Every structure is written in structure tokens, then in C-alpha cells.
């Protein structure tokens, strides 16, 4: 008790440097400030349950203090719905008196922001109690817990996310619908599905050049860009990381910089799962593998094996837990419009090799790089929660020796009805998540309560809204 009191006193003394529970160090800030004398301010960003960055813009002279002693932020930041409204059922608002906790910088995320005027930087934050203990409704710290549990077993997750998104015009079409943005190079607009068209990418070349420049400045390994399966839809891939925490940070930071650069070029970067009803939605596929303490990929099959038992058990765990986890992978009302047959979004808990009609794809290629591509998540999901839930499902499969069942070959959509145990809609997903002991363990009881309460509040907001579709269908008919 005495040590906790002394720690709190030290953190409240501006002349004292406290030990950061996040592992950050003032030396990182000092070196950054010395290397970037032009930067005048910084975005400090805490990621909430919906994956939204919450925080402040601070002045240059405040940065060292944040690295020395953290920064007070209200606990209720982690209990907000998608609109930023308090969700009292989370227990993070008036049950706590909406008190302050202390946010600390995440090491390695202090970066410059490309193209800002005046120049700004950014640092991601994680939330801790005033005595330094992790705040267990912080999504990033939930992922850190799963990584630590695996490390105790001698296993270390590696991975990467894919980012699909739309570039949309700021103005709607004549029917009030969103529409693909005009090329920023010459103003041309395409209403066609320009999938894998290299020439189509050239029209967005100035924007993508700035995206790559911003990613380089932030140390984000952004790689291939392609024109995806809808007008205005694109995909950016990220290089594989041995540190899955950093892989999730990459995705959070990449979304922020894509949105910012698109805005500077006069278009809107859209991360809705299904913004255009007639075309495919946007996924956030998660590639994951496990390395042992010696750096060997445990999913790699031995000589004479068709598949590694660890790979099959991991697939079995993910299949077994997918239905009750779908709220994490599809957290919003719009998320559920993505799940239709022949849409490149999975509709059943299935697995297959080099097959994009399944939920869990084992990509073809060198066995040393064997991995699982987890495909259910929309780009609107929180990558920290997705990764935490996937890792927990893998551990369950390994511990219980779960069998994934037969491999799906050919058209997985045609076989989906006989396999599917997925929730049929958002409400069913909320109820499945609420009742799930697995999800409560994967997220921890605090974030499980927080996340389900936020989703229930958002569901009720949507359910009571009378939409234009209601008037179209019923106004003059019933």
C-alpha cells in the first residue's frame, strides 16, 4: 500500500519522472523532439472499443511531461458509443464518478504526421489506473494480455492485417447515395468495377504517393495497393510483423493516415463494412501464425505431414468459437450487410486451402510461411479486439485438440447452409456475445461488459430510428 501511495505522489510531482507501465521512456520523446524541431503539436490518441481514436492535441512543450508522468484522461472515454455518447451500462461513467485515469505513450508510436500545417506529430496511448495497473477495458491492453498468456506457453504470435476501403466523393449522387470519388489526378470518375486495374490506380497516384510517404514517416510497412471489387474500392497490404501488437498498431495508424491524406486531396476515405449496397463490402483480413521460442513456425508441417496438427487444432478452435465471437468481427449494424453469398465475405465457419469462399483460408505457398487468413472481420472492426479474440480461439483449439472438420473445396457458399451456425443478424450476435463464456475470457470480464453494453446501446439507437426505407416501403402501402 505504501509503495502505491509513493508511486502516486511521484506521478503527481512535475519534477519527478515516474516509471511508465506501458514501457515508454522520456528518452524517446527527447530524441524525437531533437530530430523534429519543426513539429509544433501532437495528437495523443487512445483507441476505444469501437476502434475510434479519442484524445487531445497537445503543444510541443507538453510532450516531455506526457512521457515522464503520463496524461490524465477521463475513464468514460472507454465507455462511449459510436457517436461519442456515454453508455452508462458500461459502468465507466457515473459508477466511477467519471474520474480520471492515466494514459501513457505506447513505445514506438511517436511519429510525424505527413503534410500537416503547422507540422504535427502523433503518439498512441494506453490507459492505466493511477497506481499503474492496466485498465482492463482498454482494447490494446486486452490484446497484450493474450500475447502474454501465449508467451508463458513459449508461443509468440506474428501477423498482419489487410486494409480494404472506399474512396468516395464528398457529395452524394442525385439519389442521395454515396458515389466513388473522381480521380484526384484528372477528375475522371469510374462507375465500373475496376478490379485489379493498374491504369485505374494511376488516377489516384498523387493520393497514394502521399499515403506511402506518410506511412514511411511513421514506420508503417505499407506495401501493395490494388483496385478492389467495387467502384472506388481499394486495398492496402501490410508487411508481416513478428510482433502482433505492432501489427495491430500498424492498422490503427494506417487507417488514420489514409483518412487524413484522402481529406487533404478532397475525397473521403470510407471504412464502413458495406457503404454501397450493389457491391462487395470491405474486409479486414487478419493473417496470423505462431512462432516458438526458437523462432520456428509451429503451423509448418513436418516432412510427410499434410498439415501440422497445431495448424489443424488452431483452425478447430477458431471454427468452434466463431459464432459467439461474430460481434467482435462485425460490430455494427452496417457490418451485417456485408455477409451475403458470392461477395467474398464468409457466411459459414469453414476452412479451406487457397479458397476465398471460406472464413479461414490457408494461403498456398512456402510451408515455412504457413499461416491462417482469418476473413470474417469487416474493416469497421477494432483490430486489437479481433486479434485478441482470434488468439484466444487458437489457444482453445490447441488446448482441447479441436478438429476443424473436413476442408471445404470448391464453392464454399454452396455448402454454407449445411455448415452455418453463424448469428443471422446483429441482434443475434449481441445475444451470442453476451452469453459467451469464451468471449468473456478472451476479452476479460471488464471489456466484455463494456463492449456488449456499447453494442446494445447502439442497437437500440438503430432499432428505434425510422429510416427513409421505412417510408419508401410502408408510407403509402399499409
Amino acid at each position: 500500500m505504501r509503495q502505491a501511495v509513493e508511486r502516486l505522489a511521484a506521478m503527481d510531482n512535475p519534477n519527478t519522472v515516474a516509471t511508465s507501465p506501458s514501457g515508454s521512456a522520456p528518452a524517446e520523446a527527447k530524441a524525437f523532439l531533437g530530430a523534429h524541431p519543426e513539429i509544433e503539436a501532437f495528437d495523443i490518441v487512445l483507441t476505444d472499443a469501437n476502434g475510434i481514436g479519442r484524445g487531445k492535441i497537445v503543444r510541443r512543450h507538453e510532450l516531455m511531461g506526457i512521457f515522464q508522468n503520463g496524461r490524465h484522461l477521463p475513464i468514460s472515454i472507454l465507455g462511449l458509443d459510436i457517436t461519442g455518447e456515454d453508455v452508462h451500462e458500461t459502468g465507466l461513467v457515473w459508477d466511477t464518478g467519471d474520474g480520471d485515469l492515466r494514459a501513457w505513450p505506447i513505445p514506438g508510436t511517436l511519429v510525424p504526421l505527413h503534410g500537416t500545417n503547422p507540422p504535427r506529430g502523433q503518439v498512441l496511448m494506453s490507459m492505466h489506473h493511477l497506481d499503474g495497473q492496466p485498465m482492463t477495458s482498454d482494447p490494446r491492453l486486452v490484446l497484450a494480455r493474450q500475447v502474454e498468456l501465449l508467451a508463458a506457453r513459449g508461443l509468440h504470435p506474428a501477423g498482419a492485417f489487410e486494409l480494404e476501403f472506399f474512396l468516395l466523393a464528398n457529395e452524394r449522387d442525385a439519389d442521395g447515395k454515396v458515389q466513388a470519388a473522381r480521380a484526384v489526378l484528372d477528375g475522371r470518375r469510374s462507375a465500373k468495377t475496376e478490379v485489379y486495374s493498374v491504369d485505374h490506380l494511376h488516377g489516384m497516384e498523387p493520393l497514394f504517393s502521399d499515403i506511402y510517404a506518410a506511412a514511411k514517416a511513421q514506420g508503417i510497412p505499407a506495401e501493395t495497393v490494388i483496385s478492389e471489387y467495387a467502384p472506388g474500392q481499394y486495398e492496402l497490404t501490410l508487411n508481416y510483423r513478428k510482433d502482433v501488437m505492432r501489427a495491430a498498431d500498424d492498422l490503427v495508424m494506417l487507417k488514420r493516415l489514409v483518412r487524413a491524406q484522402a481529406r487533404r486531396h478532397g475525397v473521403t476515405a470510407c471504412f464502413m463494412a458495406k457503404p454501397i449496397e450493389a457491391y462487395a463490402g470491405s474486409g479486414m483480413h487478419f493473417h496470423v501464425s505462431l512462432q516458438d521460442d526458437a523462432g520456428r513456425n509451429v503451423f509448418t508441417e513436418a516432412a510427410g505431414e499434410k498439415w501440422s496438427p497445431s495448424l489443424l487444432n488452431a483452425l478447430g478452435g477458431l471454427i468452434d468459437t466463431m459464432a459467439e465471437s461474430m460481434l467482435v468481427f462485425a460490430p455494427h449494424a452496417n457490418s451485417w450487410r456485408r455477409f451475403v453469398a458470392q461477395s467474398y465475405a464468409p457466411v459459414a465457419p469453414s476452412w479451406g486451402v487457397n479458397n476465398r469462399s471460406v472464413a479461414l483460408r490457408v494461403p498456398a505457398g512456402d510451408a515455412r510461411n504457413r499461416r491462417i487468413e482469418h476473413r470474417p472481420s469487416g474493416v469497421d472492426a477494432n483490430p486489437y479486439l479481433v486479434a485478441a479474440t482470434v488468439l484466444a480461439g487458437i489457444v482453445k483449439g490447441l488446448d482441447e485438440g479441436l478438429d476443424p472438420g473436413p476442408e471445404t473445396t470448391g464453392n464454399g457458399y454452396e455448402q454454407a447452409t449445411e455448415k452455418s451456425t453463424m448469428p443471422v443478424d446483429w441482434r443475434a450476435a449481441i445475444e451470442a456475445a453476451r452469453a459467451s463464456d469464451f468471449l468473456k475470457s478472451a476479452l476479460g470480464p471488464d471489456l466484455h461488459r463494456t463492449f456488449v453494453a456499447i453494442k446494445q446501446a447502439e442497437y437500440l439507437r438503430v432499432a428505434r430510428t425510422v429510416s427513409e426505407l421505412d417510408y419508401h416501403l410502408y408510407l403509402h402501402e399499409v
Side-chain angles (χ1 to χ4, degrees), residues 48-52 80-82 331-332 380-382 451 454-455 458:
D48 73 5
N50 275 314
I52 296 173
L80 302 176
D81 69 8
I82 194 71
H332 307 294
D380 56 344
N382 183 324
F451 186 64
I454 288 170
K455 295 297 104 183
E458 291 175 8

Side-chain angles (χ1 to χ4, degrees), residues 10-12 16-22 24 26 44 62-73 101-105 125-126 128:
M11 287 193 294
D12 286 327
T16 302
V17 177
T19 301
S20 167
S22 72
S24 61
I44 62 171
E62 298 179 83
L63 185 69
M64 281 302 301
I66 291 171
F67 272 78
Q68 291 171 338
N69 292 299
R71 183 68 176 243
H72 282 131
L73 290 175
L101 297 187
R102 201 177 298 261
W104 289 88
M125 311 287 284
S126 59
H128 296 260

Side-chain angles (χ1 to χ4, degrees), residues 71-287:
R71 183 68 176 243
H72 282 131
L73 290 175
I75 188 174
S76 58
I77 280 181
L78 294 174
L80 302 176
D81 69 8
I82 194 71
T83 70
E85 295 286 347
D86 290 332
V87 178
H88 300 286
E89 292 79 4
T90 62
L92 300 179
V93 189
W94 300 124
D95 290 3
T96 66
D98 195 16
D100 282 345
L101 297 187
R102 201 177 298 261
W104 289 88
I106 296 169
T109 66
L110 177 59
V111 294
L113 293 176
H114 176 73
T116 52
N117 185 24
R120 293 204 324 277
Q122 171 185 282
V123 62
L124 302 186
M125 311 287 284
S126 59
M127 188 77 96
H128 296 260
H129 290 284
L130 297 180
D131 64 358
Q133 293 300 307
M135 201 288 160
T136 47
S137 284
D138 182 322
R140 192 179 189 277
L141 296 181
V142 165
L143 174 56
R145 174 175 166 269
Q146 289 298 329
V147 171
E148 290 166 2
L149 291 173
L150 278 165
R153 299 163 175 260
L155 295 172
H156 310 279
F161 289 89
E162 297 174 9
L163 181 69
E164 295 179 358
F165 59 97
F166 281 79
L167 293 175
L168 302 177
N170 293 335
E171 68 280 357
R172 304 289 181 90
D173 67 15
D175 296 321
K177 303 286 189 179
V178 297
Q179 57 185 332
R182 295 183 183 276
V184 298
L185 185 65
D186 57 15
R188 294 171 58 188
R189 174 180 284 134
S190 174
K192 298 182 294 183
T193 300
E194 305 271 8
V195 64
Y196 278 79
S197 169
V198 178
D199 289 344
H200 178 66
L201 292 175
H202 292 169
M204 291 295 181
E205 187 176 50
L207 170 54
F208 282 112
S209 292
D210 275 338
I211 287 173
Y212 281 124
K216 182 179 180 180
Q218 296 186 18
I220 299 172
E223 295 195 329
T224 305
V225 60
I226 65 171
S227 179
E228 260 290 357
Y229 203 62
Q233 189 184 34
Y234 302 86
E235 177 184 283
L236 271 170
T237 60
L238 287 159
N239 197 16
Y240 216 67
R241 292 276 199 181
K242 291 184 178 179
D243 179 359
V244 78
M245 297 288 294
R246 182 64 194 189
D249 292 338
D250 285 342
L251 198 284
V252 168
M253 294 167 72
L254 185 60
K255 284 180 73 172
R256 285 183 58 78
L257 75 83
V258 167
R259 180 179 283 115
Q261 297 306 321
R263 190 173 183 181
R264 290 190 176 91
H265 283 272
V267 300
T268 296
C270 174
F271 301 109
M272 291 173 63
K274 182 79 167 179
I276 302 176
E277 60 195 45
Y279 293 96
S282 294
M284 189 181 70
H285 303 160
F286 177 40
H287 294 252

